[in-house]
Amino acid sequence: MSTKPSWSSAAPGSIVGRGRIGRRSFLQAAGGAAGLGVLGAPSAGARPGDGRQTVAVLGGGVAGLTVAHELAERGFAVTVYERKALGGKAISTPVPGTGQAGRRDLPGEHGHRGYFGFYRHLPDTLRRIPFPGNPRGVFDNLTVVDYVMLARDGGRFGLGVPAGISNTFADLDGFRHAILGSLQILGDIPPHEQAYLADRMLMYFTSCDERRFGQWEFVTWWDYLRAGSKSPDYQRLYAAQSQIIEALKAEIGSARTVGSGLEALFYSELGYPGSDGPLNRIMNAPTNDAWIDPWERYLRGLGVEFRIPAEITGLAVEDNRIAAARISGPRGSETVTADWFVLAVPLERAQPILSAPDLLAADPGLGKLAQLQTTWSAGIQFYLTRELPGIAGHIAYIDSPWKLVSISQSQFWREDFASTWGSGAQRESFSVVISDWTDTPGTLYGKPAKDCTPQQIADETWAQMKAHLNSTGTTVLTADLIESYFLAHSIVDPGTPQTRNDEPFFLNTVGSWHNRPTAETAIPNLFLASDYVRAPRNIDFASMETASEAARHAVNALLDEAGSNEHRAALFDGYRPPEVEAFKNADLARYRAGLPHILDGG
C-alpha cells in the first residue's frame, strides 16, 4: 500500500560573500561564465519519451561529477544539482574585477591540491576527459613537483626531501634499513628516536589488515608513535606532520588512516609499480582551466544537465524508496523526481538530511553519521610583485603554529602569469594552506586563525613563513613582495563572532571507520558518494582520490540494483609489496590468537 511521502529536510545554507566579492559575483565568476543552467526543470534530465533511466546527482564536487561521468557513459540520463560551483573543494576561484587590459581575473587556487603518485582512481578519470592537444586528456596537464622542503624556524636549515631511495630489501632487517634510511634525512631527531620510529613504521607496514582495522583504527597516531614521551622535533616532524599532509590531527586521528597514508607515500617515493606516476604532481594551469571546465564540457556532450545554484534540502520517502528530492534555488523550492538518487554532498551537509526520522527508519545505520567529525583546512593566496627564485616545490612549515604548507604555483603553469592574469603588476601566485584554524594561537596576534580578521590572517601567515624561510641569514620573504591577497571563500565572516567554514574537511578520528556508511544504503534507490563514505581499496584520508573511489562504489551499486549489463566502474587496489605479505600472514596468525604484533614492544 502506498503511503504519503514524508520529507527529511535541512535548512538551506547561505552563500555569503566577503570583501570585494559578493555572492552573485562569485556564482557568476565560478559558474555563470560557463553557461550553467538554473533551476526550473521538473525532472532529473530525462528527455520526454527517450526511455532512459534518470539519475539525480545531488552535489557537483569531485564525487558527484565522477558519478555523472560514469553513468552518462553508460547511457543514463543524469542531472547534477550543485549549490555553489562545479568541482567542490577542487575549484579555482577567480577574483572578480582584477583582470585588466585583456587579462583574466586573478586565480584563487588551493595550494594543498597535489595529485599523489599513489592515487589510482582519480588519474583514471583524468585520462578519460578530452583536452585539446593532449593524447591522454586532462591527465597530461599534470606536471611533476620533484622537490619538497621541510622548512624549520629558529635558524635551522630546511631539509629537501630527495627521490630515489633504495627499494631493495629481501628480509625484515633490510626493510627496516630502507625505512630508517628515508627517515635519517630529517637530521634533527636523536638517533634512538629515529630507530624507534622506524620500528613503529615497520610494525604498521607488516600488520595484517585485521589488526589495522581491529586495533590500530582505535589508537591515535600520536599514541601509536608514543609522541608524548619524545622530543619536540620528533613530535613536529613525525606526529604533527599528519595535519600538514592529510589535514589529520595526530592527537585524535586514527593510526590506521595516517599509517596507511604514509605507507602509500613511502611506496610511491620508492617508485614501486603500484604508483600511477611520480609521487607529487600539480596541474600546469589553474584547476578550472586544466580540469574542471573541460570536464564540464565533456559531461555536457554526454547529455548531462546541470542545475546551479541548487541545494538539496530534503528527501521524500515513500514505500521505502526515495520518491523525490527537495531542491532550493533562485526560484524557491522545487520537487525533483528520478529513478535513482545519489547524494554526493560533503559530510556536514549530508548529516542533517540523512538523520531525519523517515530516513533512519528506512536505514538505521545512517544514524552513525552523527558521530563523524569535520575539521578546517583552507587557503590564502598571495599575489607577489616578483617571482621567488629557488622555491621549486611544496614547502611544509614544520614549526608553524597554524600548520602551513605552500607552493609557488605560477612557475609550474604553462602560461606566463603577469601577461595572462590580473593587472600585470602580479608576477607570482603563492598559495598557502592553513590546516590549523581552531586550536593554536599564532605568533603575531596570539589568536587562532578563526578569530582573526582577513588582514590579520594574511599578516600572521606571512610572519610564520618568514620565520622559517628567513631564519638562516637569507632573506626570502619581505613585506614589499605582497601586491594583494585572496582568502578562500569557504571562510565566511572572518574576524567576527559568526566566523564559520562553509567547506570543512571530513576528519578520520579514532574508530570513525566503523561509523562511516557504504555507498549502498538500505534504501534501494539511494546511494552515497563522498569522501566520508567507505573507500576500502586505496588510501583512506579525505581527498580527491577517496571521493573518486567512493563515487565508483556508488555507481557500481546503482548498476547492480538496476540490473544493468553495463561494465562496472573500475576499482584499483593500493600497492601491496609481495615481499611484505609473508610478514602480514604471520601477524594474522598472532592477531587471531590474541597476541600483539611481534614488534610491539611498547
Side-chain angles (χ1 to χ4, degrees), residues 512-557:
S512 61
W513 176 265
H514 300 279
N515 295 321
R516 294 165 63 182
T518 62
E520 183 177 11
T521 74
I523 303 171
N525 67 334
L526 175 65
F527 307 89
L528 307 178
S530 186
D531 57 14
Y532 70 87
V533 175
R534 288 187 183 182
R537 299 292 289 267
N538 197 3
I539 51 96
D540 184 39
F541 58 88
S543 62
M544 298 181 291
E545 171 69 5
T546 49
S548 180
E549 182 187 336
R552 292 161 182 253
H553 288 293
V555 166
N556 290 345

Side-chain angles (χ1 to χ4, degrees), residues 12 89 164 244 287 294 299 370 376 474 547 584 593:
K89 296 183 182 71
I244 294 176
T287 308
L299 295 181
W376 290 31
T474 301
K584 289 185 176 181

Side-chain angles (χ1 to χ4, degrees), residues 7 12 37-45 58 79-82 305-316 323-337 341:
W7 287 94
V38 296
L39 284 173
S43 69
L58 308 171
T79 298
V80 176
Y81 298 86
E82 166 56 38
E305 297 183 10
F306 296 97
R307 302 287 183 265
I308 304 171
E311 182 176 4
I312 166 68
T313 60
L315 295 171
R326 186 194 297 129
I327 305 294
S328 176
R331 301 178 185 178
S333 183
E334 177 190 12
T335 298
V336 171
T337 61
F341 295 84

